[in-house]
Amino acid sequence: MRRSLGFVVALALAGCGGVGSPVKDVYGGESNWAVVEAPEKVTAFRVIRPGILKYVQAPETIGGFEITDGPFDLDAAASADLRAILADESIYDFERAKGCDFDPGVAFRFAKAGAALDVLLCFSCDDLASYEGTKRVGGEDFDRARPRLLAIVKRLFPTDEKLQALK
């Protein structure tokens, strides 16, 4: 009896049925996760490392990376697919860290009630980083979700040769 009561209490404290804190931490905490979990709008951008292209005027940036294409609004189905992948705790590798040079190619902006969170994806090392403006607030490896995330990205950027060539 005591053991089963302890199990019930542990489940209640863990918030069973919802996304656990390790996933929320990837996005900078509870309030940011609320924006990702139920956004009013999700927008995609093609981004590159600053300084690669020469511009007549300063380029727009997202998370400090230069925007080269977009914004493209995700439809309800693509937005739901993306959110389901990001909410899946099993896609993240919380046990290891990579020594890669983060070089994102795609960014998603989740917006809700005046709040925004940018999630940038690097397919060179299968890492994502979360930004509030230019401040990085979280991130993690997403190796297990690469095929599913890449499928969404390829649908959103059908004429981008570099993204289409990714395997």
Side-chain angles (χ1 to χ4, degrees), residues 2-85:
R2 178 177 268 169
R3 182 176 284 169
S4 62
L5 179 60
F7 179 72
V8 171
V9 170
L11 282 177
L13 291 174
C16 64
V19 172
S21 68
V23 172
K24 292 176 184 175
D25 290 345
V26 170
Y27 301 95
E30 183 79 37
S31 61
N32 286 341
W33 177 251
V35 175
V36 174
E37 188 175 39
E40 294 167 356
K41 183 177 184 179
V42 181
T43 310
F45 301 85
R46 182 70 165 94
V47 296
I48 60 169
R49 184 184 309 233
I52 293 177
L53 299 177
K54 304 296 180 217
Y55 296 94
V56 174
Q57 62 186 30
E60 290 186 57
T61 62
I62 189 166
F65 294 87
E66 295 175 359
I67 298 172
T68 62
D69 202 4
F72 302 109
D73 293 341
L74 275 68
D75 62 28
S79 177
D81 287 347
L82 179 61
R83 290 188 332 267
I85 294 167

Side-chain angles (χ1 to χ4, degrees), residues 77-101:
S79 177
D81 287 347
L82 179 61
R83 290 188 332 267
I85 294 167
L86 299 179
D88 181 358
E89 188 173 331
S90 73
I91 73 163
Y92 303 104
D93 185 355
F94 296 110
E95 301 300 318
R96 285 172 275 222
K98 295 177 183 165
C100 304
D101 187 18

